Amino acid sequence: MGVNPAPQIAMYAYEALLTKLTIARREYVSQVRSGKQHSDYSPETAGDHFALAWVSAVHDNIHQLVPCGEEDPAIGHQTTGRDLIAVKAQDNALIEQFLAGREIEKARKTRQVELDLNAQIAGLLAGQCVELNPGLAPGQENQLQLASAKGFPCP
């Protein structure tokens, strides 16, 4: 049989994407500091907003690479979805049981969370520039490959 390469692929993807995100965030923060990018927030906060949007865009790219309907070979069987419905119903019953008899009060203060729209847009655009390509492992199994960095902003 052989060893399942999924953990190694996941570790490679995580390390490579974390490096790309760190570089892109650092570049965006320096652009905010220099005035090339406008933000009503501190450069670090704008960088956080940028990073959130970047991760969201890359997440969407990753999901586009996953073939639809493909089962995990570690599971060994196909499910019809009934198992998932049963677990969800059990979870809902446990939540209702936990909340029964508890009084939920309103929060004393609610803090509005606003995101820097400029940073969000820049993060989404930069995250969409990250190229993810399905590759082939030595055993002809699908493996994630990251293309070379295009930089921020991508051409």
Side-chain angles (χ1 to χ4, degrees):
M1 194 148 222
V3 178
N4 185 352
Q8 291 84 12
I9 295 170
M11 181 57 98
Y12 165 73
Y14 171 79
E15 289 173 351
L17 289 172
L18 179 61
T19 301
K20 287 178 176 266
L21 172 59
T22 303
I23 291 168
R25 183 186 180 280
R26 189 177 309 129
E27 288 177 12
Y28 184 77
V29 168
S30 70
Q31 289 181 5
V32 170
R33 281 195 178 111
S34 69
K36 291 180 184 175
Q37 291 285 342
H38 173 73
S39 179
D40 293 332
Y41 296 87
S42 71
E44 291 76 22
T45 301
D48 291 344
H49 296 174
F50 171 89
L52 287 171
W54 189 97
V55 168
S56 176
V58 171
H59 180 264
D60 291 343
N61 288 345
I62 290 172
H63 276 284
Q64 292 175 4
L65 289 177
V66 178
C68 295
E70 203 170 283
E71 290 293 321
D72 186 349
I75 296 173
H77 69 281
Q78 290 186 335
T79 62
T80 60
R82 291 182 181 162
D83 296 337
L84 182 61
I85 293 170
V87 169
K88 187 168 175 71
Q90 183 181 9
D91 285 350
N92 288 338
L94 289 172
I95 291 169
E96 287 178 24
Q97 180 183 2
F98 176 78
L99 293 176
R102 295 189 187 265
E103 187 174 322
I104 300 174
E105 299 176 13
K106 291 183 180 180
R108 292 181 197 161
K109 290 183 180 179
T110 57
R111 183 177 168 198
Q112 283 188 319
V113 177
E114 293 182 19
L115 295 177
D116 184 346
L117 188 58
N118 292 331
Q120 289 280 294
I121 292 170
L124 283 172
L125 293 174
Q128 290 172 351
C129 293
V130 174
E131 289 186 22
L132 303 171
N133 302 307
L136 293 176
Q140 299 300 316
E141 299 172 21
N142 282 338
Q143 181 176 346
L144 182 67
Q145 287 185 341
L146 297 172
S148 60
K150 286 185 171 180
F152 173 74
C154 63

